[in-house]
């Protein structure tokens, strides 16, 4: 799971073009939106597409469940681990 968290952190950095941030700078338990990394809804869409391409997971565009999956890197990792296509 830690390897998957690291992969997702790198995917976030690449997808969001966060040049000044390294994977070590991202706390896996910290919020991705608002006070955490400060991502917004457009970022969520881009990240959702990147996750879909990389892991074959599908996220509903605007559901409470999706918001929970995007709560943190750890939550995203758990979702991807449970739902990815091998």
């Amino acid at each position: 799971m830690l390897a998957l968290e690291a992969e997702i952190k790198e995917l976030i950095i690449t997808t969001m073009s966060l040049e000044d941030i390294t994977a070590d700078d991202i706390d896996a338990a910290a919020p991705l939106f608002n006070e955490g990394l400060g991502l917004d809804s457009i970022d969520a869409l881009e990240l959702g597409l990147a996750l879909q391409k990389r892991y074959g997971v599908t996220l509903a565009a605007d559901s409470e469940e999706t918001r929970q999956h995007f709560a943190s890197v750890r939550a995203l990792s758990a979702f991807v681990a449970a739902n990815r296509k091998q």
Side-chain angles (χ1 to χ4, degrees):
M1 188 71 127
L2 289 176
L4 183 56
E5 283 183 12
E7 277 182 34
I8 289 176
K9 287 179 185 183
E10 290 296 337
L11 188 65
I12 290 168
I13 291 167
T14 304
T15 304
M16 301 296 112
S17 302
L18 303 174
E19 295 95 5
D20 300 335
I21 295 180
T22 67
D24 291 338
D25 294 334
I26 300 174
D27 178 351
L32 293 177
F33 296 90
N34 302 324
E35 71 278 357
L37 269 184
L39 302 183
D40 62 23
S41 57
I42 303 293
D43 295 330
L45 288 172
E46 288 181 38
L47 186 54
L49 286 172
L51 288 165
Q52 189 174 358
K53 282 184 195 165
R54 178 123 182 219
Y55 300 108
V57 297
T58 305
L59 294 147
D62 190 36
S63 73
E64 187 56 41
E65 195 174 274
T66 298
R67 281 191 205 99
Q68 291 170 6
H69 297 318
F70 276 93
S72 66
V73 169
R74 187 153 296 141
L76 264 182
S77 297
F79 171 76
V80 169
N83 294 283
R84 71 173 155 186
K85 313 279 187 281
Q86 299 298 355

